[in-house]
Amino acid sequence: MATVKIILRKNYQKKDGSYPITLRITKDRKARFIFTGEYIQEKDWDAEKGLAKTSHKNSKRLNNFLLKKLSEAHNIALDVETNDSEKTVKNIKTMIVNDRNTNFFNVADMYLGALNKRQKFHQENNDRGRLNIFKTYLGKSALDFKDLDQDLLEKFKNHLSFDLKRSERTVVNYMILIRTIYNLAISKSIVDRNLYPFGRGQVQIKIPESEKIGLNREEIKLLENIKEITPAQQHALNVWLFSFYFAGIRVGDVLKLRWSDFKDGRLYYRMGKNKKLVSLKVPNKAQAILERYAQERVKRSDLVFSDLKTVDFSDQKYLTTRVKTITRNFNRRLELIGEKLEIDKKLSMHIARHSFGNISGDKIPIQMLQKLYRHSSITTTVNYQQNFMHQETDEALDKVINF
């Protein structure tokens, strides 16, 4: 016999610290959960009764709603079991879910809560912003999955492209987000897979090739020898060059480097993106930058670059926000430097990685580039580096037209 109980699901947590209230269906020691769409603070929840405490400002109305949902779920579970005792807990959940309204944005909250719990704060902020734009377009904060069809998605894509002037890649990011949330709803039996609006003959998601353009040797030399720039601009440039000299270390990793990460002329650090441990020789040009900052060093545990000096690294959310802000400031200063040197390319922190790829071109074996880029798969390296490998195609073109 299946049992249904109202519980607080602590796997997910909203930004305000509240948790989702769910129906838990259990049969044969297997459990499934149904999101009610309601959230509550733990201090206002009576776990034994499965109801809100009187300390909750809307406890009476909320409890009436929950008891109604519990009664409906009990009745459906009983009907299912009476008609087919072999039905699994998943079947029972599907029957209950299909009997009630399903809100896309409730599942979106669950998705954002999971990102927060995994400390994917940068992604959480970006996706929350995209969802807010989707809500603004709809003009409401509730959307039933049955209304989230191909027609709506195509209209939203047009709105992003033509009204908001978003790039093709940005529009794809919105569609990927909506598809991810839809897949989460399917996995939790909140929506029937037959309603799925993505795939062949419906909304197809094709990631456009991105243009990756790096600086060349002459442009790097201009940066290395520039004079008469502000101390703030010079600092941003130092961080940029330091990243470039180490094969394009991501700015977030550069800012977290400590003097203790350098031993016997080598850099040892763990990548923030995939937690890989990396060891690289310290090039002479990078050593020269280190020596400029050595006078600020007091102890080996100090940061090489002091931009994050006052940040508590245990507060990952704030740390992510600070790195994003610092990077934005760096990019503004780099843009001014690029204008001063008349470099006709966008100069930003991320282009340091592209510049290393551009200069290495097809001169370095792809297996070695994989090590330098710290890619897990050589396929990733091939796909990345093909943006900068032009020699063979250039020679082929010359053979045809030079007559």
Side-chain angles (χ1 to χ4, degrees):
M1 177 66 183
T3 60
V4 184
K5 185 177 181 181
I6 304 174
I7 68 164
L8 208 60
R9 193 86 194 274
K10 296 184 180 179
N11 300 59
Y12 307 97
Q13 187 179 34
K14 286 185 72 173
K15 202 171 184 179
D16 62 3
S18 61
Y19 296 95
I21 303 173
T22 62
L23 293 170
R24 185 183 66 195
I25 312 150
T26 308
K27 182 183 180 185
D28 300 329
R29 288 193 255 180
K30 293 182 180 179
R32 290 271 174 168
F33 301 88
I34 300 175
F35 185 47
T36 65
E38 297 295 329
Y39 286 83
I40 195 171
Q41 300 283 340
E42 188 173 9
K43 63 181 178 63
D44 295 323
W45 183 250
D46 187 327
E48 186 175 343
K49 294 180 179 178
L51 294 171
K53 295 178 180 178
T54 53
S55 57
H56 186 274
K57 60 180 181 180
N58 293 318
S59 61
K60 186 173 182 180
R61 187 171 64 178
L62 176 59
N63 287 338
N64 287 337
F65 167 79
L66 294 175
L67 289 172
K68 181 182 177 183
K69 289 296 178 186
L70 182 64
S71 176
E72 291 172 355
H74 272 306
N75 290 336
I76 292 172
L78 183 60
D79 287 343
V80 171
E81 293 242 31
T82 301
N83 295 326
D84 189 350
S85 60
E86 298 301 316
K87 285 285 188 182
T88 65
V89 64
K90 183 176 181 179
N91 297 136
I92 296 171
K93 175 178 177 178
T94 301
M95 293 290 291
I96 294 172
V97 167
N98 290 341
D99 193 61
R100 66 178 179 85
N101 180 51
T102 54
N103 182 5
F104 168 83
F105 291 108
N106 286 344
V107 183
D109 283 340
M110 295 170 63
Y111 164 76
L112 293 172
L115 287 180
N116 185 280
K117 188 169 184 178
R118 286 156 45 207
Q119 298 189 340
K120 301 286 185 180
F121 302 121
H122 183 67
Q123 185 179 352
E124 180 194 359
N125 288 335
N126 286 342
D127 287 346
R128 190 182 298 280
R130 293 180 182 122
L131 288 166
N132 286 337
I133 287 175
F134 190 30
K135 283 182 183 178
T136 301
Y137 169 74
L138 295 170
K140 56 184 180 181
S141 58
L143 174 65
D144 196 292
F145 276 99
K146 70 177 184 296
D147 297 321
L148 184 54
D149 55 14
Q150 182 182 0
D151 183 57
L152 174 60
L153 290 172
E154 294 293 353
K155 288 179 179 177
F156 182 52
K157 286 170 64 177
N158 289 335
H159 171 70
L160 292 169
S161 299
F162 302 111
D163 298 333
L164 301 186
K165 310 298 182 185
R166 297 294 192 263
S167 68
E168 185 180 0
R169 175 66 223 219
T170 299
V171 173
V172 166
N173 289 339
Y174 276 86
M175 293 300 109
I176 290 175
L177 171 61
I178 294 171
R179 183 181 65 181
T180 299
I181 295 170
Y182 209 115
N183 287 336
L184 176 62
I186 290 174
S187 71
K188 296 185 174 298
S189 301
I190 292 174
V191 63
D192 194 314
R193 185 177 293 275
N194 292 329
L195 296 174
Y196 200 54
F198 298 96
R200 183 178 297 178
Q202 300 190 82
V203 176
Q204 292 188 313
I205 298 177
K206 296 180 180 179
I207 298 176
E209 289 188 25
S210 58
E211 185 179 53
K212 293 181 173 65
I213 298 177
L215 303 188
N216 57 39
R217 290 174 183 269
E218 290 67 31
E219 290 164 336
I220 299 292
K221 288 178 181 178
L222 287 174
L223 292 176
E224 291 176 330
N225 296 302
I226 191 172
K227 307 293 184 185
E228 298 179 357
I229 57 177
T230 68
Q233 290 172 351
Q234 185 64 60
H235 174 60
L237 180 57
N238 289 341
V239 176
W240 190 96
L241 289 170
F242 201 79
S243 168
F244 169 75
Y245 295 148
F246 284 105
I249 296 179
R250 293 174 178 83
V251 61
D253 291 332
V254 174
L255 293 175
K256 296 171 190 172
L257 293 177
R258 300 182 184 275
W259 292 102
S260 56
D261 295 324
F262 297 87
K263 304 178 184 70
D264 300 325
R266 299 190 67 81
L267 164 62
Y268 297 86
Y269 81 102
R270 192 172 296 279
M271 292 177 65
K273 186 172 183 179
N274 58 18
K275 307 305 177 185
K276 277 190 159 188
L277 187 62
V278 179
S279 172
L280 294 170
K281 170 191 172 182
V282 179
N284 292 334
K285 290 182 176 181
Q287 183 61 39
I289 292 178
L290 287 174
E291 290 170 3
R292 295 186 197 179
Y293 289 84
Q295 59 185 354
E296 301 176 17
R297 169 184 165 181
V298 177
K299 49 189 177 181
R300 278 184 57 75
S301 60
D302 286 348
L303 294 166
V304 174
F305 304 105
S306 61
D307 303 86
L308 296 174
K309 185 176 181 180
T310 60
V311 177
D312 179 3
F313 276 38
S314 64
D315 187 347
Q316 286 294 318
K317 189 165 188 177
Y318 181 65
L319 176 62
T320 300
T321 302
R322 283 296 301 147
V323 168
K324 186 176 180 180
T325 301
I326 292 166
T327 303
R328 185 166 57 246
N329 290 334
F330 280 171
N331 288 341
R332 288 172 182 157
R333 294 162 190 164
L334 290 169
E335 185 178 355
L336 293 173
I337 292 172
E339 291 175 359
K340 181 180 179 70
L341 295 174
E342 297 183 348
I343 295 176
D344 190 23
K345 295 173 184 174
K346 183 179 179 180
L347 189 56
S348 66
M349 285 306 304
H350 190 63
I351 207 178
R353 193 171 181 84
H354 295 340
S355 299
F356 186 88
N358 186 44
I359 294 174
S360 62
D362 41 18
K363 302 178 183 66
I364 300 176
I366 203 72
Q367 292 83 357
M368 185 55 63
L369 282 172
Q370 181 189 0
K371 292 183 179 180
L372 288 171
Y373 288 145
R374 288 77 68 188
H375 287 156
S376 300
S377 167
I378 197 166
T379 303
T380 304
T381 308
V382 171
N383 291 337
Y384 181 83
Q385 197 62 18
Q386 68 181 359
N387 295 277
F388 312 110
M389 298 174 72
H390 308 302
Q391 183 177 342
E392 289 185 1
T393 54
D394 291 349
E395 289 177 354
L397 182 62
D398 285 341
K399 286 179 181 179
V400 175
I401 66 173
N402 290 340
F403 53 85

